[in-house]
Each structure stands twice: as C-alpha cells, then as structure tokens.
C-alpha cells in the first residue's frame, strides 16, 4: 500500500469525467488499497480516484467517526468500502444541507444542499452488483464522490459569491503556509 499525493484545486484533472472500470483486476485492487490508505492518512471520510490523479470511476468511503480529531482511527474500527462505477439511480425530492469539505479544497467548508436520500448501484471488488438506498451523511458523501467522477466539486453547488470567498480564503491560507 502507498499514501498517494492528493490533487488540489485548481488542478484541471479535478474537472475530468472519469472512465468506467472495465475489469476489476490487480491494478484496480491496488488502486483501492492505496486510496484507502491515503483517505485514512488525510482523515477523510471518502475519496475518489481522480483525487489521487487516476481518472477512473472508483470511490472509497468510511464514514466512521474517529475518537478525537487528531487521533488516527484504530485499525479495529475501520470499515472501508470500495464502490466501482457507482451510479445514482434515483434521488428524493426532499433535500438536506450539510457543511461539506473536500480533501482537494483543504480546510474550506460550505453548506451544500443536496437530495436527502438516493438509491445507488455499484460493483464491489468481486464484481458483484449492489443496489442500496442511502440517507444521512452516507447519501451526502456518496453524491459528493460521484460528483468527483464527473468533474464536479462541492463549490459548484454554492453561490458564486460564497465560492469566490472560499477560494480567496484558500489562497490566503496557502500563502500563509508558504
Ligand atoms: O472528508 C470528507 N468529508 C466530507 C464532509 C462532508 C461531505 C463530504 C465529505 S467528503 C470529504 C473527503 C473528500 O474530499 N472526498 O471526495
Ligand atoms: Ni471531495
């Protein structure tokens, strides 16, 4: 396994439409393993392959809360799931708001409104097809990740004013860190 560098805005790769996985081979399994390690290292709850520079429709998610913010999650409570070629089948009319963040837009957050529930289909690492209704944080996170596969970021769902403010704050934070 390897911790891979995370692609950040304004990298144009984040705007690519990713290609479906045709065969679940060792390369895909290696990618999922590396994405999982990278997600935990970065303390994210999800990660799309394009965030490590690979333009394929692969997502990993583990929503589980950590004990404290700066404590790394113990192996025992880790429950990483891989979603290959995930697709939204339907969404609820009801929406919900969540204060979203993204590892590709470090330390910036904004309230995003999305469908509260969605039905999602995907393949697991054995090539088995699954279909499931999702709600709560899982529905939000899955929609955020599938957006990445289509070159969409959470800042595309907020007003231009809020987006410009957020990107300005990011530029400032980067400048201060440099
Ligand atoms: O770690 C993450 N937290 C998060 C919080 C609210 C909504 C979505 C997310 S996903 C994000 C990790 C990430 O950037 N995934 O693409
Ligand atoms: Ni993200």
């Amino acid at each position: 396994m390897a911790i891979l560098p995370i692609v950040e805005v304004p990298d144009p790769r984040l705007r690519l439409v990713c290609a479906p996985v045709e065969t679940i081979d060792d390369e895909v399994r290696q990618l999922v393993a590396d994405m999982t390690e990278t997600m935990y290292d970065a303390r994210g709850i999800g990660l799309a392959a394009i965030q490590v520079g690979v333009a394929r429709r692969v997502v990993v998610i583990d929503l589980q809360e950590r004990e404290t913010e700066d404590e790394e999650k113990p192996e025992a409570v880790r429950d990483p799931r891989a979603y290959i070629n995930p697709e939204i089948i339907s969404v609820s009319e009801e929406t919900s708001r969540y204060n979203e963040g993204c590892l590709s837009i470090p330390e910036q957050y904004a309230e995003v409104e999305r469908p509260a529930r969605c039905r999602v289909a995907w393949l697991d690492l054995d090539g088995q097809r699954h279909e499931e209704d999702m709600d709560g944080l899982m529905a939000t996170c899955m929609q955020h990740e599938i957006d990445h596969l289509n070159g969409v970021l959470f800042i595309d769902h907020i007003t231009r004013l809020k987006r410009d403010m957020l990107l300005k704050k990011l530029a400032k934070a980067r400048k201060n860190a440099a």
Side-chain angles (χ1 to χ4, degrees), residues 39 42-48 51 60 98-105 109 114 137 140-142 144-145 148:
M39 175 181 71
R43 290 157 168 68
I45 60 172
L47 194 72
Q51 294 182 277
V60 296
Y98 201 91
N99 197 29
E100 296 197 19
C102 181
L103 295 173
S104 296
I105 312 173
Y109 302 88
R114 300 182 184 271
L137 182 56
T140 294
C141 187
M142 184 58 83
H144 174 118
E145 301 310 339
H148 275 301

Side-chain angles (χ1 to χ4, degrees), residues 17-177:
V17 175
C18 300
V21 170
E22 302 287 352
T23 347
I24 299 166
D25 53 15
D26 283 349
E27 204 178 313
V28 171
R29 282 184 279 271
Q30 184 62 55
L31 172 64
V32 165
D34 291 346
M35 284 172 62
T36 303
E37 195 179 2
T38 303
M39 175 181 71
Y40 287 130
D41 178 69
R43 290 157 168 68
I45 60 172
L47 194 72
I50 195 59
Q51 294 182 277
V52 294
V54 179
R56 309 302 299 277
R57 304 187 82 83
V58 175
V59 164
V60 296
I61 293 179
D62 183 350
L63 295 185
Q64 290 223 301
E65 293 285 319
R66 290 176 305 274
E67 293 296 305
T68 73
E69 267 307 307
D70 29 39
E71 193 178 331
E72 209 175 317
K73 194 171 186 184
E75 302 273 347
V77 298
R78 287 182 173 181
D79 184 25
R81 301 281 174 94
Y83 301 85
I84 313 293
N85 301 340
E87 272 184 69
I88 305 239
I89 292 179
S90 61
V91 296
S92 63
E93 220 164 291
E94 191 196 327
T95 60
S96 66
R97 299 178 150 274
Y98 201 91
N99 197 29
E100 296 197 19
C102 181
L103 295 173
S104 296
I105 312 173
E107 283 156 62
Q108 307 302 318
Y109 302 88
E111 291 274 326
V112 176
E113 182 171 17
R114 300 182 184 271
R117 294 174 300 283
C118 54
R119 187 164 185 82
V120 178
W122 72 92
L123 301 178
D124 66 22
L125 276 180
D126 298 318
Q128 289 271 8
R129 189 177 185 278
H130 298 260
E131 209 176 295
E132 198 178 294
D133 289 310
M134 299 179 177
D135 62 11
L137 182 56
M138 187 62 197
T140 294
C141 187
M142 184 58 83
Q143 291 175 71
H144 174 118
E145 301 310 339
I146 292 177
D147 269 357
H148 275 301
L149 306 184
N150 296 320
V152 175
L153 301 171
F154 81 83
I155 52 173
D156 301 335
H157 295 291
I158 62 181
T159 64
R160 172 183 288 264
L161 178 69
K162 284 185 180 162
R163 181 166 56 249
D164 288 350
M165 279 170 48
L166 184 152
L167 291 173
K168 234 179 218 172
K169 274 178 59 193
L170 176 60
K172 202 171 192 178
R174 280 172 167 163
K175 206 170 146 201
N176 287 338

